[in-house]
Every structure is written in structure tokens, then in C-alpha cells.
Amino acid sequence: MYDRLLVPTDGSGPDNAALELASRIASPAATIHLLFVSEDDRDVSPSDALDRTAEEILADARETATADVETVVTEEKRGDPRARILEYIEAAEIELVVMGAHGRQEAGAGILGRVTEEVVRNASVPVLVVRASDDIQSRYPFDRVLVPTDGSEHARIALERGVEIAAETGATLHLLSVVDVTRYGADSETDALVDRLEEDAKDALEAAAESATADGVDVRTAVTVGSVHREISAYAETEDVDLLIMGTHGRSDPERELLGSVTERVLRTAPAPVLTVRARQTDGS
């Protein structure tokens, strides 16, 4: 799937979970890059409870990664972790970043961590966000992959990636459309509008499913009504989804507050790893 993966690590539980999944999804011929970034003159991560040195953390991470891949590159940088990670992505021609995040709870400030948020927002490549609480052993090979879709360009790119991953792993591809009723009141006209929106969503899903099925993928579709990010997370939990794939506006919409986006809210509450993808950037975006 990916040949050049980057796992930023500080030796914490979430980063260890990210490394474990990265090692499992990488092909034996892939290269995993392990990056430790220390701020200022410190050579240990502020979050590392064991107070280990960068050299020790990278050595442990290398041992984990080499169990699954032959080529592992370790690098230590100093400075702002967000900036160093984004620079490394470009310099090493990384294809996928796998990052840790903290535990699940209702969307609230800081739960993902500022470094992970910044990389998701600005990285030019897909970012796979993994929590320490995710059971990686049972997550891969993927059996159930969920792609929420709203017909947008970002959702289309996520769907394409979902079809590719489902075809590679033999997973069932779940396509979900959520009719957002939080913006409407409660009256007969609203009920009629919601009914029309549901029918439109079903038609769009059927077209997407037909395209995916043509590629030999087993597809399930569903339309739900409610708050979009809550419905996505609830569906993922009910269906025991192994991976969510979502489009993100990222830096193409710099004035948009990421914390208010559906993708960001799902990242905070999803019961499984989330892969974020975006359409190619253009000069006018």
C-alpha cells in the first residue's frame, strides 16, 4: 500500500500503537522512518514518563519495526515538532504518516494533541491517526472499512482510497451518508425536506457502491439522520469498523477552523484508526 512511511515517536503509548500498526501495514520491502523531535535543548520527550533518551526511544522503536520490515531509518531533530515533522515529510518523500493520539471522548480541546492536529491539517500526504486504546492486533488485516461520504471532492478522494484498501485487504467497504438535521427545526416542512435529502443520499450511495462493486469490492451502504460526526462514530462502533477513511480540507482552506470540521471531530471520537486524505492542492486552492 505504501512504501515510505513516517512514524514520529516519543516512546509514549499512542506512538507505540502507531508504530505497531505502521509495521503491520507496511510491505516487507517498505522503508519505515522513525523520527524523534526534541524541543529546545532537551533530548527526552516531555510526555515520556520513563525519562528515556532519544537514542533509547529510537532504538526500541527500531527493534519493533525491524520485526516486519527490512529497512528502518531513524532520525533525531530539534525544534518545533510540528515544523520538523512537516519538513521531514517533504525531504524524505514520505507517502504516509502514522501518528498516535490520546484516548476517546466527546470532541473537546486538546484531546488529539497539538502536534497531531497540525500534521493532519498541513501534511501533503495521508495521515493515519492511531490511539493507544486501539486493538491493533485485531485491526489488521482490515475486515471492515468505513468511508463517510457527502458527495464532495474530498469525500470522493477518500472513497477512491477506500476502494483501493478494501480491494487489497479483502475488507468489506461500508459507505455511510449522514443527513445533518442539526441545522433544521421540527415541523412538517422540515420532515419533508429530510425525506428528500435521505432519498438523494441513497441515490448517491447506490452510484458509489456500483462503482466500487465493479472493482470486486463487497460494499454495504447506509443512510442515517442526525449530527454528522456523532453518527459516523456511532456507526463505526456498531459495525465494529477496523478503519475509517475521511477527506479533509486541510491547508486548502486556511480560514476554516479545523476543530469545527467533521473530520476533526471524528478523529477525536472514532473507535478505530482514522486515515485522512485530501485532494491534490492547486495554486488556486
Side-chain angles (χ1 to χ4, degrees), residues 54-72:
E55 183 177 351
E56 291 170 335
I57 291 171
L58 287 173
D60 287 346
R62 172 186 283 276
E63 183 176 358
T64 297
T66 52
D68 295 287
V69 299
E70 293 183 1
T71 307
V72 179

Side-chain angles (χ1 to χ4, degrees), residues 144-166:
R144 292 166 294 276
V145 174
L146 170 62
V147 179
T149 181
D150 59 6
S152 66
E153 176 65 10
H154 297 282
R156 184 185 66 79
I157 297 300
L159 175 59
E160 290 180 356
R161 187 59 51 88
V163 171
E164 292 172 0
I165 292 175

Side-chain angles (χ1 to χ4, degrees), residues 31-42:
T31 297
I32 292 183
H33 294 252
L34 305 173
L35 176 64
F36 181 99
V37 182
S38 56
E39 298 183 71
D40 303 324
D41 294 326
R42 293 173 293 187

Side-chain angles (χ1 to χ4, degrees), residues 36-95:
F36 181 99
V37 182
S38 56
E39 298 183 71
D40 303 324
D41 294 326
R42 293 173 293 187
D43 66 348
V44 294
S45 166
S47 64
D48 182 33
L50 298 180
D51 199 35
R52 293 177 296 160
T53 66
E55 183 177 351
E56 291 170 335
I57 291 171
L58 287 173
D60 287 346
R62 172 186 283 276
E63 183 176 358
T64 297
T66 52
D68 295 287
V69 299
E70 293 183 1
T71 307
V72 179
V73 177
T74 60
E75 187 77 32
E76 180 184 358
K77 299 285 187 181
R78 294 186 182 274
D80 181 349
R82 293 164 290 187
R84 298 293 87 81
I85 291 169
L86 293 170
E87 290 169 0
Y88 195 93
I89 290 170
E90 301 302 325
E93 299 181 340
I94 297 300
E95 297 173 345

Side-chain angles (χ1 to χ4, degrees), residues 147-159 175-180 183 197 200-201 204-205 208 222 228 232 245-249 256 262-263:
V147 179
T149 181
D150 59 6
S152 66
E153 176 65 10
H154 297 282
R156 184 185 66 79
I157 297 300
L159 175 59
L175 304 180
L176 173 67
S177 183
V178 181
V179 177
D180 185 2
R183 68 186 68 180
L197 292 174
D200 290 343
L205 282 183
V228 179
I232 292 171
I245 306 176
M246 299 190 67
T248 178
H249 291 274
R256 181 188 179 99
V262 170
T263 298

